[in-house]
Amino acid sequence: MAERHPREEALRRVHGVGALFSTAYGNVGSSIYYALGVVAVFALGMTPVVFLISGLIFICTATTYAEATVMYPEAGGSSSFARHAFNELISFFAAWGQVLNYVITVAISAFFVPHYLAVFWEPLESNPADIIVGIALILLLIGINVVGSKESARLNIVLAIADLMTQVIVVSIGLALVFNPEILVDNVELGVAPSWGNFALAIAVGMIAYTGIETLSNMSEEARDAPRTVPRAVGLVVTAVLVLFLLIPVVALSAMPVTEVGGEFTTELATTYAENPMLGIVDNLGLAEGVTNILRVYVGMLAAIILVIATNAGLIGLSRLTFSMGQYRQLPEAVRAIHPRFNTPYVAILLFGVISAVALLPGETELLATMYAFGAMLSFTIAHISVIRLRSRYPDAEKRTYKPRGSIRAFGFEWPLTAVLGGLGTFAAWIVVMALNTRTLLIGTGWMIVGMAIYLLYRRHQKLGLRQTVKVVMPEPLGVEEVEYRSVLVAFQDEEPFSAEMVATAAKLASKRRRGIHVHSMLTVPTNLPLDAELDEREAEAARKVEEAKLIGGQRVTGHVARVRPGQAGYSVAEEAGMIEAEAIVVGLRHRAGVPHYDKTLQTVLAERPCRVIVVSAPADRPPAPVQALAEAPQ
Amino acid sequence: MSSSGRAYRLAVLAFSVVFAAIGVAVLTVTLVNGGGPASVGFVMGISFLGVGVGRFWITLRSLR
C-alpha cells in the first residue's frame, strides 16, 4: 500500500520576520565582501559617501519592493510588478535584467571565494588561480544543483547571524582603534580624487552592495502574514545594512588612507585588498600579530563560506526565475526542461551557470560590477515605475495593505515619493553606467538584444502577442487532502482530451516540490500497422499532453508517449506504474449521456493496479456534482 | 504626530540637507575648476541640489 506522508510545513506560509530578515540579510550582507573593494576603486576617499547615497537609493528600492510584494506576494520581483502594472513585454524586460544580475552575482561571488581562501594558501589571490578556482566552484555547484541538493535553511540563518556579528565586531574594533575623522576628510580631493565621473560611476556600482533584495520578494509566497512581516523584515534589513555598510568603509578608509603616489591617488583598499577588502581591514586594525592572524583566518573562512552560499543562491535564483519566466511563456520550454532522473531544471542551471563562468573568465571585477549595475538599475527602475503605475491604475486598491510613508497627491492619485526618488536615482545610475563605460554599454545592450530576440521568436512561434500575459492556470483539484505520494503517474489515453484537472490533482497529491509526476500519454497503434508506424499527427497530439502537463505541474513533471495496441492501454498503465514505482495513478473518468463510463482501460487499471488509483471525472461532460473515486492497491 | 512619524520627518529633512549640501559642494568645486554646464560635475551638482531641495520643500509643505 502507498505510504502516507503528512504535508510538509515548508510548503505553507511559515516564515516570520526573523526568518525573512536572516535570509535577506544573509544575501544582502554577503555582498560587502566584494562590493567594498570594487567601490573603493572608483570612489577612493568618497567611498563612505557613495555607500550612503546608494544606501538611500536602496531604501527607496526596498520600500518599493515592500509595497508591491505585499500587493502581489509571488516570486519574480520587478518582473512580477511590471506584469501587473504594464504588460508582459515590460515584465520580460525586467526579468531579463534580473537574469543578468543573477549571472553576475554568481560570477562575482565565485571569483572572490579564492581571494578570501588565500589566508590558507597565498597563490589563490592572483591570476589565473583565482579564475580557475572560481570557475571550478561554479561548475561544482552546477553539478550539485543538477543532481539536486537540499538547502539547509537553519544553517543559512546561523551563517547569516555569524556574518552580522562578525561585521559588528570588526566595525566595533575599528571604531575603537583606528577611526579618525581627520584622515577621512584628508582622503578626499573634491573633483580630483575621485573625479566626478568616477564618483557618479561609483554610486551606480555601489548598488552591488545591496544585491539580494529580490530574496524578500521570492520568499514572500511563504511569508506568514505578509502585509505585516514583509515590511518589518525590510525595515530591519535596511537598518542593519545601512548602518553597517556606512561604518565598514569608514573604518576601512581610516585604516587604509588615500595616499598620493606619483601624482596618482590610491588606497590599499582599492589595490592590495581590492579583492578581499575585509581582510584588508583586519590586517590594518593594529591588533597584535597573533590576534590578527586568528581573526584573519576566521574572517577569510567565514567570507569564503558565505560567498559560496551566495554563489549557490544565485544559481537557485536563476533556476527559480527562469522557471517563473517559463510559466508566463517568456522563455522557451526547452530552457526549463527537467532532468528525467533528478527532476531538476538542468538546462537552465547548465546554461546560465556556464554563462556565469564565461563572465568570470576575464577576471575583471570592475567589468562584473558595472555589468551588475546595468542589469540591476534597469530592473529596479522598472520596479519603481511599476509601483507608480499601480498607484495610478488602482488608486484605492484593497490589496494595498502596506503603503509606505511619503506620498504627494497629483494628477488624481498619490505618488509614492520613495518610488519617484528611487526611480530617478536608479535611472540616472543606469544612464551613468552606460555613458561612462563603453564596454558595459555594448555588452549590456547585446544581452538585452539577445533576450528580446529570444522572446520575440518564441512568442511568434507560440502565436502569442508580445504584451499578452499567458498564465498557466492551476485549477483547483477535486478535494484531495492531507495525503502525499512520492511519485504519481498520470495516464492519458490517446482519444482522451487533455485534462488540466487530472494534472492538478496529481500535483496536489505529490505536493512536496521534489515529488515526481510522470505523464504516460498513450498512442494506440492499430494492429494492422507496425508498432513504429509513422503517426506524426497523433504522436504530436500525445506529446502535446505531456508538454501541457509540464506547464501546469512545473519542474517535477516528466513524461513520454507510449505506443500501445488496442485493448492494452490499461496493462500499459499498470506496468508503467510498477516500473517507476508510482505510489498513485491518476486516470480520467468519462461519461456517456451524463453517466460515468467505466471503460475497459479503466477496469484493467483497477484490476491490475500496483498502487492506489485516483479517478478524476472529466469536466466537459460530467454531471453537476464532481465524481471522484479512490481505489486502494490490493494487499 | 507619533514619535516614529517625527523621527521619519527628521530623517527625511536631514538627508535632504545632506543631498543639497553635496550638490552645492560639487557645483562649487566644478565651477571653481572651470567646469561648464555640460560637465559631469555640473550635472551631478544640479541633480543632487534639485533632489535635496525638492524633497525638503515637499516635507515642509506637508507640515503646514
Side-chain angles (χ1 to χ4, degrees), chain A residues 573-593:
Chain A
V573 173
E575 191 181 323
E576 181 73 15
M579 269 171 51
I580 66 165
E581 297 178 349
E583 292 188 346
I585 301 169
V586 175
V587 289
L589 173 68
R590 281 171 289 173
H591 296 80
R592 277 188 187 162

Side-chain angles (χ1 to χ4, degrees), chain A residues 56 196 199 405 408 421, chain B residues 4 8 19 30 44 55 61:
Chain A
L56 291 174
W196 294 132
F199 178 52
R405 285 195 174 103
I408 184 166
L421 294 175
Chain B
S4 66
Y8 168 77
F19 262 59
T30 304
M44 276 185 73
R55 189 67 183 93
R61 208 184 67 158

Side-chain angles (χ1 to χ4, degrees), chain A residues 49 52-53 56 59 190-192 196-197 199-200 203 405-409 417-418 421 424 436, chain B residues 2 4-5 8 15 18-19 22 25-26 29-30 33 40-42 44 48 51 55 57-58 61:
Chain A
V49 179
L52 176 71
I53 294 168
L56 291 174
I59 290 180
L190 281 177
V192 180
W196 294 132
F199 178 52
I203 294 169
R405 285 195 174 103
S407 297
I408 184 166
R409 191 154 189 93
L417 285 173
T418 45
L421 294 175
L424 285 173
L436 298 181
Chain B
S2 67
S4 66
Y8 168 77
F15 283 125
V18 169
F19 262 59
I22 292 173
V26 173
V29 173
T30 304
N33 291 334
V40 177
F42 191 86
M44 276 185 73
F48 273 99
V51 168
R55 189 67 183 93
W57 176 72
I58 288 171
R61 208 184 67 158

Side-chain angles (χ1 to χ4, degrees), chain A residues 169-228:
Chain A
I169 290 168
V170 169
V171 164
S172 305
I173 298 173
L175 287 176
L177 297 182
V178 296
F179 173 62
N180 188 332
E182 258 181 61
I183 290 179
L184 291 175
V185 173
D186 291 344
N187 278 338
V188 179
E189 284 281 331
L190 281 177
V192 180
S195 66
W196 294 132
N198 276 346
F199 178 52
L201 195 53
I203 294 169
V205 169
M207 288 305 293
I208 202 169
Y210 305 102
T211 313
I213 191 64
E214 302 272 345
T215 317
L216 275 172
S217 163
N218 289 338
M219 285 182 71
S220 63
E221 284 176 317
E222 292 155 35
R224 190 173 55 223
D225 190 10
R228 190 185 63 86

Side-chain angles (χ1 to χ4, degrees), chain A residues 154 171 175 271 318 323 401 449 497 536 599 614 631 634:
Chain A
R154 189 166 294 179
V171 164
L175 287 176
T271 52
L318 270 173
F323 175 70
T401 47
I449 288 171
D536 291 348
D599 62 9
I614 285 89

Side-chain angles (χ1 to χ4, degrees), chain A residues 16-18 20-21 24 216 228-238:
Chain A
V17 177
L20 289 171
F21 166 75
L216 275 172
R228 190 185 63 86
T229 53
V230 170
R232 279 195 188 180
V234 168
L236 283 173
V237 173
V238 166

